[in-house]
Structure formats: C-alpha cells, structure tokens
Amino acid sequence: MEEIYEYPLKQHIGQQAVPSVVEGDKILRGQLLAFQREDSLGASIYASVTGVVEKVTDESIFIRADEKQTKDYVPLKSETPLELIREAGIVGLGGAGFPTYAKLGKPFELGGTVIINAAECEPILSHNIARIEQRPEQLLRGLEIAMDIVNAEHGVVAIKKTHINAIESLKKINKNKDIRLQLLENIYPMGEERAIVRETLGQLLPVTDLPIAAGAIVINAESACRIAEAVDDKKPLIDKDMTVAGKMKGNHEDRLIQVFLDVPLGTKVSSMFEKAGGLAESYGEIIMGGPFTGKRTTLEAPVIKTTGGLIAAECFPKGPEKIGLLVCACGACKERMQQIAESLGSNVVGIECCKQAKEVKGNLKCENPGKCPGQVQKVMALKKAGAEAVLIGNCTDCSNTVMSCAPQLGLPVYHSTDSALRAVNHKLVRKFKKI
C-alpha cells in the first residue's frame, strides 16, 4: 500500500530549509528535498523513500512512496569530513537539533575533548544503547572523526554504568588510547550537557556557558553514528533510531518497549505504532520524546530528525480540584505541566520553579543538574496558594526532596512522567535510591 511521508522544513535549530522540489517530481531515496541557506544556521533535508512529490507547502514536503522500496540511496558529493557532515544535514539527534557541522566548525587550538553523550538519559528510551550494543565500532568511528575535525586530544564516551552490555562491547573493541569511557550514575538528568561535562571533566559550568567553555564538545550517540555513515558511506541523514512504547494491543510485556533502528524520516507516528503491534483501544496521550521532556503529538505527525521516542501513555486519573505546579529546568516546561494538569481535570492555583532553575534566553537552566538542595519553601508556597496536591516534573534528586516534605504537609504528589511510566509498568519517579 502506498504511504505518504511528510518532511517538515524546520526540524532543527536555525532557519528552515528551502524546498528544491515541486509537486509531481519523481524522487529517489537520498535525494535532496530542501537545502540549507548558505548564509544561515540550518540543515538540509533528504528523501528517505523513493516516490513522487505529492505536495509542497510553506511548512512541509509530502512524498507518496512507491510500493517497492530499497535501502539504496543517492550518495553525498562532498569530500572532506566536515563538508560531508554539513551536506548530510546531521543535527543533534537527542535534543533540540543543533546542526552538527556548526558544533564542529571551530577546531581547538590546544587540547580539547569530544564527549559522546551515550547516557540514554530518559527512562523508557532504549534505542541509543541498542545501536551501541549492535554497532559499537560505528560509535567509536564517529567519535574519532569528530576528534580529527576539531583537533581534540581526548575522546570520552559518557554512559550510565547500568548499561553493562554496551560498556563491554565498547571496551572490547576500543584500541584508541586517547578514548576512554566515563561511567555515570543511573539518575536523571545525567544526560544533560553540563551534567556530562561536570561528571567527565570535573567542571561545573555556569548556566550561561556552553561545553566549549570547558574545552569540550558534546555530541549525541546517534549523531556520532550518523557522522560515521556520512563520512564513510556518503549517506545523508534519512533514517532515525527510536523507541516505541506504551499502551499496545494486548499489552504483552514484549510489546511495552520496542526499539526500531533506521526508521525512514517522514514516517507517520501511526505507522510506527502499527509496526509495534498496534495501539490499545484506550490511552491518555501520545508523547514524542521521553517521559520527562517529550511533547504531546498526534498520530498524523511525522517522525523527524529529533524524534527519539513515541510513547502511548496510560489514561490520566482524576486529579484534585486544585493543584500546584513545581517546574524543574530539567523536566517538563510550564506549558507542558499546565497541559497535564488540564488532563487531570485540575485547576492550577500556583506555579513555582525549582530553586536552582535560572532563566537563560527564555529557557530554564539548572544551576547544578541532578544535585538538588531542597524544595521545602517551594512546596510550602504552593500549599499556601491553596493547592490540594502538587504536580512536579523534577529530576531524581529534586523528586526525592519533594517527597521528603510534601506528604508531611498533606499534599499528594503527581509527576509529569506518571502516565508514561505506568504504561510500561515502570516504577514511578518519587523517592528512591541512586543506583
């Protein structure tokens, strides 16, 4: 059956791409659909399937895929590694989608470290670790290419110590004395950039600083693998790894969390759930991303470059009449928390921010990610505002501190991740020990 694939023109930080095709064009997998403007930050977009351009709008390109598809693709034309990375349209595949060529565009003058973020930070998400277990050499190759481009003396793979198989796979094949593994605690948000730098280099950066201030560049694990593909195989960024999880038909244990590697970009969210066995009759919401920072999406939405997870969450319970929000810089934003409160059927009577959350260019940043000094004053303020319960989106450590005071004040605690974690029978984020 023919499928329609959608390619939004803006899937990354920077300017949206400019279409290079028109309706009716015959398209090959790997063919350029929209190009990055030469004078601005951005990333090009390529077809992940062979087919015909169905429609071009101001926001997206739609392709009607041929019934028969192949893994072949139109190869990239550039010669140098940095030019290939730019031509390929590679961006950060675990966050906001910062173009990778720009991150690697300024070599270190002296020293320097490239860090691969392989933390697989959010619960449920499993695709980065799955690729590392299957193709550890690809990750290390991507790291070495990045190190060469920026003249870095050192390379680090930062990974949670609980991922034993992936760690052993990397140790077994790593022959580069300049590359080491940094084992991380299994807490959230250990994959946050500044947390990675702190744990790897022993330097806590101010909220206004980027990793480069510590002589480091941080690259997502899948991005590193796609770097290897672009340089060694001349392959544009046309496929995406992801985790599909949650309320599936029959809710069999083996269907609750599934990994799909090399999913063609532009695939509909609904198609991915069908590939995972089909959605259950009832669910609360569809989340694109992880339980902490993901956003609500629809079944008609497409898989894009930054799609890491698709989660069909548990149905929302009936919440209290009045609820207070405690917004954390490391978790769900205020707007997302308000959305969840509405789904609980609760009226928001107060909003407080984690005491370590500082506003930077319109976004919240945590002063010391994952290390919380306490939230008693914030919780008391919400109770004073009339809250009958609190909804939090906090990290592991912050959640522990909330649980040390909220119940004593007679306030039940809801977490923004509850419906996602319940859907896969995971332990809820409340008070628990570090592993």
Side-chain angles (χ1 to χ4, degrees):
M1 187 177 91
E2 292 181 331
E3 289 187 62
I4 301 295
Y5 288 72
E6 180 184 352
Y7 304 85
L9 297 173
K10 186 170 173 57
Q11 303 184 27
H12 43 70
I13 287 177
Q15 296 294 315
Q16 75 173 36
V18 181
S20 56
V21 296
V22 297
E23 183 179 330
D25 281 355
K26 176 66 179 174
I27 298 297
L28 298 176
R29 175 171 151 88
Q31 184 173 331
L32 182 69
L33 294 179
F35 60 88
Q36 171 205 345
R37 298 176 188 271
E38 287 294 331
D39 58 347
S40 65
L41 186 70
S44 296
I45 296 168
Y46 295 83
S48 58
V49 293
T50 295
V52 176
V53 176
E54 180 88 355
K55 183 170 59 173
V56 178
T57 70
D58 291 339
E59 297 180 347
S60 294
I61 295 171
F62 298 82
I63 292 180
R64 182 176 295 278
D66 294 341
E67 189 172 345
K68 292 184 178 180
Q69 293 292 325
T70 173
K71 289 294 184 182
D72 295 337
Y73 54 85
V74 178
L76 300 171
K77 299 176 181 177
S78 298
E79 295 299 329
T80 69
L82 187 58
E83 288 172 346
L84 283 163
I85 291 167
R86 178 170 183 158
E87 186 189 351
I90 298 173
V91 300
L93 301 176
F98 190 82
T100 304
Y101 76 87
K103 189 173 281 192
L104 301 177
K106 294 182 179 179
F108 294 114
E109 292 184 6
L110 185 65
T113 303
V114 176
I115 306 170
I116 299 300
N117 180 357
E120 198 83 277
C121 188
E122 299 209 34
I124 297 178
L125 302 188
S126 316
H127 52 282
N128 284 322
I129 296 304
R131 179 169 283 272
I132 294 171
E133 289 175 350
Q134 294 181 31
R135 297 284 308 275
E137 75 287 348
Q138 193 178 53
L139 181 83
L140 294 179
R141 172 62 177 150
L143 173 54
E144 289 177 336
I145 291 169
M147 289 170 64
D148 287 343
I149 290 173
V150 299
N151 297 327
E153 287 188 0
H154 307 286
V156 180
V157 178
I159 185 169
K160 288 181 180 177
K161 59 187 177 183
T162 53
H163 299 309
I164 298 171
N165 292 338
I167 291 168
E168 289 305 312
S169 296
L170 290 167
K171 283 182 175 179
K172 191 176 295 184
I173 67 165
N174 180 30
K175 308 299 181 185
N176 190 328
K177 61 180 177 58
D178 296 322
I179 293 177
R180 66 179 175 87
L181 301 187
Q182 177 70 47
L183 303 189
L184 308 171
E185 283 188 274
N186 185 30
I187 64 171
Y188 181 88
M190 199 48 81
E192 197 270 350
E193 267 195 340
R194 288 171 43 255
I196 289 281
V197 170
R198 180 192 67 209
E199 299 300 310
T200 301
L201 302 179
Q203 183 174 345
L204 176 61
L205 295 171
V207 292
T208 52
D209 280 1
L210 296 172
I212 196 68
I217 292 171
V218 181
I219 298 174
N220 167 264
E222 187 183 353
S223 298
C225 294
R226 302 303 178 185
I227 285 173
E229 288 183 340
V231 174
D232 295 340
D233 304 327
K234 299 288 183 78
K235 182 182 177 181
L237 179 58
I238 50 180
D239 296 321
K240 183 73 183 72
D241 298 341
M242 70 186 65
T243 305
V244 180
K247 299 281 288 182
M248 310 302 296
K249 285 181 179 176
N251 245 29
H252 302 297
E253 283 295 327
D254 60 346
R255 286 187 178 177
L256 294 182
I257 301 176
Q258 299 178 61
V259 167
F260 293 87
L261 302 182
D262 293 323
V263 174
L265 292 174
T267 302
K268 279 186 180 182
V269 168
S270 58
S271 295
M272 291 310 303
F273 280 112
E274 285 303 312
K275 290 176 182 177
L279 280 169
E281 289 185 9
S282 63
Y283 53 87
E285 64 177 347
I286 302 296
I287 300 168
M288 183 177 285
F292 277 92
T293 60
K295 308 293 183 185
R296 188 172 294 181
T297 189
T298 69
L299 293 175
E300 293 302 306
V303 168
I304 61 174
K305 294 181 182 184
T306 55
T307 301
L310 295 172
I311 304 170
E314 183 60 84
C315 297
F316 288 98
K318 179 68 175 74
E321 182 181 342
K322 299 176 181 178
I323 201 164
L325 308 184
L326 180 52
V327 182
C328 179
C330 304
C333 65
K334 181 179 72 173
E335 291 74 21
R336 172 73 173 136
M337 298 278 279
Q338 290 172 320
Q339 185 182 53
I340 293 171
E342 183 179 352
S343 294
L344 290 169
S346 302
N347 296 314
V348 176
V349 296
I351 301 175
E352 296 287 333
C353 287
C354 170
K355 63 192 299 181
Q356 289 200 141
K358 304 300 179 185
E359 188 170 329
V360 180
K361 297 180 180 179
N363 296 310
L364 293 179
K365 290 280 190 179
C366 181
E367 287 184 315
N368 196 1
K371 297 183 181 294
C372 181
Q375 303 289 350
V376 177
Q377 291 179 332
K378 301 293 185 176
V379 174
M380 290 181 68
L382 292 173
K383 183 175 178 64
K384 187 175 181 180
E388 300 167 347
V390 291
L391 171 62
I392 66 176
N394 303 81
C395 70
T396 303
D397 204 27
C398 281
S399 297
N400 280 345
T401 65
V402 170
M403 291 305 297
S404 71
C405 62
Q408 282 76 6
L409 293 170
L411 296 175
V413 177
Y414 295 76
H415 199 286
S416 61
T417 64
D418 284 351
S419 61
L421 296 179
R422 281 196 176 102
V424 297
N425 298 332
H426 270 210
K427 184 177 180 179
L428 302 184
V429 179
R430 292 297 189 273
K431 188 173 182 68
F432 52 90
K433 296 178 180 180
K434 299 175 184 177
I435 300 175

